[in-house]
C-alpha cells in the first residue's frame, strides 16, 4: 500500500534492495548518513532524534518497523500502537530524506537464528525481566545497520540499557557506526514519552507521572540516604500509588551496568526503573 506518499514530500521506501540502491547513490555523492530506527507510534522523543540527525548529517533515514523478535510477550506485540499516517505527518516537520517501512519478510527473509552474548549487559534489569528482548533488538538493529550503513545512529537514553547493548554490539561486530545517545524527552508532568503511553487509561495516565516525580525526588535524597535506603524508598513511594507496581528499581554504573552498593563505588550512576501500570509496562531512568 502506498496510500501515504501524497501527505509529504518525503520518500517512502519499503524494499531492502531499493533502500540499498538509494543509499549507495548518496554515498557515491560523498554524503553522510544519519539513521533513526523506530517502531513507529512516533512522539516528540522520536522526533528529537530525527531533528538531531537532520542537523548533523547530509542525509537522514528513519525506519518504522515493529520488530517481532524483540517482543517476548505476544500480547505486547499485538497491542503495540500502529499510527503510520500520523507518524508521517509528524516526520514531515523535520523532513528526513528517506522513510524505510519494511514488511517483516523484507527484514527476515529467513528466521534470524543468531544468538548474541552481551554478558551482564543483557542479563540484568530489562534483560532479566524480558528474556530474549535484547537478542531481538541486536538482530534487528544489526540487520538495519547492514542495510542503511549509517555514519551516525541515534538512540534515546530513555532505553538506557538498550544504548549499552547496541554500543557493545557495534564493538563486537566491528561496525563503523557512531552511536549517538539523545536525552529523554518528557511530557509536561515529567512522564517519559513512550509509544505505550497511549495505551493508558485517563486515570492511569494521570497517576503515571508519579514515576518520574519520585525519580527526581530520589536524586535530591541521594545525599541523605544510602543506596539501599534510597532504593527501598523509591519502590515504597511508587507502590503506595494503587495504579502503579514497581517491577524493579536498580542503581547501576552507567558503563558496566553493575549494581552500585555504595555511592562512592562509581562515578556515573543511573537509577533504572520499570513500573507496571495495569497491563502497560513503562520504563524510565535518572542520572545520579
Ligand atoms: P521505539 O520506537 O520505542 O523503538 O524507540 C525508537 C527510539 O526512540 C529509541 O532509540 C528510543 O530510545 C527513542 N525514544 C523513545 N522514547 C523516547 C523519549 N521519551 N525520549 C528520547 N528518546 C526516546
Amino acid at each position: 500500500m502506498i496510500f501515504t506518499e501524497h501527505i509529504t514530500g518525503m520518500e517512502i521506501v519499503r524494499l531492502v534492495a531499493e533502500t540499498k540502491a538509494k543509499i549507495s547513490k548518496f554515498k557515491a555523492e560523498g554524503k553522510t548518513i544519519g539513521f533513526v530506527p523506530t517502531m513507529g507510534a512516533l512522539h516528540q522523543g522520536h522526533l528529537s532524534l530525527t531533528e538531531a540527525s537532520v542537523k548533523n548529517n547530509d542525509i537522514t533515514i528513519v525506519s518504522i518497523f515493529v520488530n517481532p523478535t524483540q517482543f517476548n510477550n505476544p500480547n505486547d506485540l499485538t497491542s503495540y500502537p500502529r499510527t503510520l499516517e500520523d507518524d508521517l505527518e509528524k516526520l514531515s516537520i523535520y523532513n528526513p530524506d528517506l522513510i524505510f517501512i519494511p514488511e517483516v519478510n523484507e527484514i527476515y527473509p529467513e528466521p534470524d537464528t543468531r544468538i548474541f552474548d552481551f554478558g551482564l549487559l543483557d542479563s540484568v534489569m530489562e534483560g532479566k525481566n524480558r528474556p530474549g528482548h535484547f537478542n531481538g533488538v541486536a538482530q534487528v538493529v544489526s540487520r538495519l545497520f547492514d542495510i542503511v550503513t549509517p555514519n551516525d545512529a541515534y538512540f534515546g537514553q530513555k532505553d538506557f540499557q538498550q544504548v549499552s547493548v547496541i554500543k557493545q554490539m557495534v564493538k563486537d561486530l566491528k561496525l563503523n557506526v557512531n552511536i549517538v545517545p539523545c536525552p529523554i524527552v518528557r511530557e509536561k508532568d515529567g512522564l517519559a514519552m513512550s509509544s505505550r503511553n497511549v495505551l493508558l487509561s485517563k486515570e492511569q495516565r494521570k497517576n503515571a507521572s508519579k514515576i518520574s516525580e519520585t525519580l527526581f525526588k530520589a536524586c535530591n535524597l541521594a545525599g541523605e540516604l544510602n543506596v539501599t535506603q534510597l532504593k527501598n524508598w523509591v519502590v515504597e513511594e511508587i507502590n503506595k500509588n494503587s495504579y502503579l507496581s514497581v517491577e524493579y528499581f536498580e542503581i547501576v554504573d552507567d558503563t558496566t551496568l553493575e549494581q552500585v552498593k555504595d555511592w562512592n563505588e562509581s562515578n556515573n550512576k543511573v537509577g533504572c526503573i520499570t513500573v507496571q501500570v495495569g497491563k502497560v509496562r513503562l520504563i524510565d531512568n535518572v542520572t545520579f
Side-chain angles (χ1 to χ4, degrees), residues 261-279:
K261 298 208 171 62
D262 185 286
W263 291 123
N264 300 323
E265 249 174 54
S266 149
N267 287 333
N268 301 306
K269 296 162 282 280
V270 182
C272 300
I273 197 160
T274 290
V275 178
Q276 197 77 40
V277 190
K279 288 192 172 134

Side-chain angles (χ1 to χ4, degrees), residues 162-226:
Q162 172 169 278
V163 175
S164 306
V165 167
I166 300 289
K167 280 184 176 165
Q168 189 61 45
M169 182 197 82
V170 164
K171 239 190 216 169
D172 291 348
L173 299 179
K174 300 187 173 59
L175 303 178
N176 197 11
V177 182
N178 176 34
I179 302 302
V180 186
C182 299
I184 302 176
V185 178
R186 297 181 178 280
E187 300 287 356
K188 277 204 186 87
D189 64 0
L191 178 67
M193 287 193 183
S194 162
S195 303
R196 290 184 175 87
N197 289 352
V198 298
L199 302 174
L200 300 171
S201 71
K202 225 175 178 179
E203 281 306 299
Q204 288 171 333
R205 169 64 192 85
K206 218 168 102 191
N207 284 276
S209 63
K210 176 88 185 181
I211 303 167
S212 55
E213 187 190 309
T214 309
L215 291 183
F216 299 149
K217 278 190 192 156
C219 284
N220 295 328
L221 281 174
E224 290 170 40
L225 303 180
N226 68 34

Side-chain angles (χ1 to χ4, degrees), residues 31-205:
K31 292 183 169 156
T32 60
I33 311 273
F35 179 44
V36 182
T38 83
M39 297 205 297
L42 302 183
H43 49 66
Q44 199 52 47
H46 301 106
L47 297 183
S48 71
L49 310 184
T50 309
E51 186 179 16
S53 175
V54 167
K55 210 186 232 170
N56 294 300
N57 295 275
D58 300 324
I59 296 291
T60 289
I61 299 171
V62 177
S63 65
I64 298 177
F65 178 64
V66 182
N67 172 39
T69 74
Q70 73 188 69
F71 284 82
N72 56 318
N73 173 349
N75 291 335
D76 190 23
L77 174 61
T78 345
S79 64
Y80 201 83
R82 287 156 169 93
T83 57
L84 186 55
E85 291 215 40
D86 250 29
D87 292 350
L88 295 174
E89 221 160 313
K90 287 177 183 164
L91 283 172
S92 69
I93 302 168
Y94 297 99
N95 209 20
D97 301 87
L98 277 191
I99 320 290
F100 179 42
I101 314 176
E103 295 289 338
V104 173
N105 59 5
E106 273 295 293
I107 296 297
Y108 302 115
E110 277 155 32
D112 193 335
T113 53
R114 289 174 299 161
I115 304 286
F116 293 81
D117 181 5
F118 298 114
L120 191 70
L121 296 186
D122 79 341
S123 59
V124 295
M125 303 191 293
E126 287 302 276
K128 186 168 161 197
N129 286 273
R130 299 183 70 187
H133 168 65
F134 286 123
N135 201 66
V137 168
Q139 287 175 341
V140 75
V141 174
S142 60
R143 178 81 180 114
L144 290 169
F145 280 2
D146 183 48
I147 297 162
V148 175
T149 61
N151 300 84
D152 293 339
Y154 294 78
F155 290 87
Q157 292 276 23
K158 203 215 38 154
D159 297 274
F160 169 76
Q161 193 172 1
Q162 172 169 278
V163 175
S164 306
V165 167
I166 300 289
K167 280 184 176 165
Q168 189 61 45
M169 182 197 82
V170 164
K171 239 190 216 169
D172 291 348
L173 299 179
K174 300 187 173 59
L175 303 178
N176 197 11
V177 182
N178 176 34
I179 302 302
V180 186
C182 299
I184 302 176
V185 178
R186 297 181 178 280
E187 300 287 356
K188 277 204 186 87
D189 64 0
L191 178 67
M193 287 193 183
S194 162
S195 303
R196 290 184 175 87
N197 289 352
V198 298
L199 302 174
L200 300 171
S201 71
K202 225 175 178 179
E203 281 306 299
Q204 288 171 333
R205 169 64 192 85

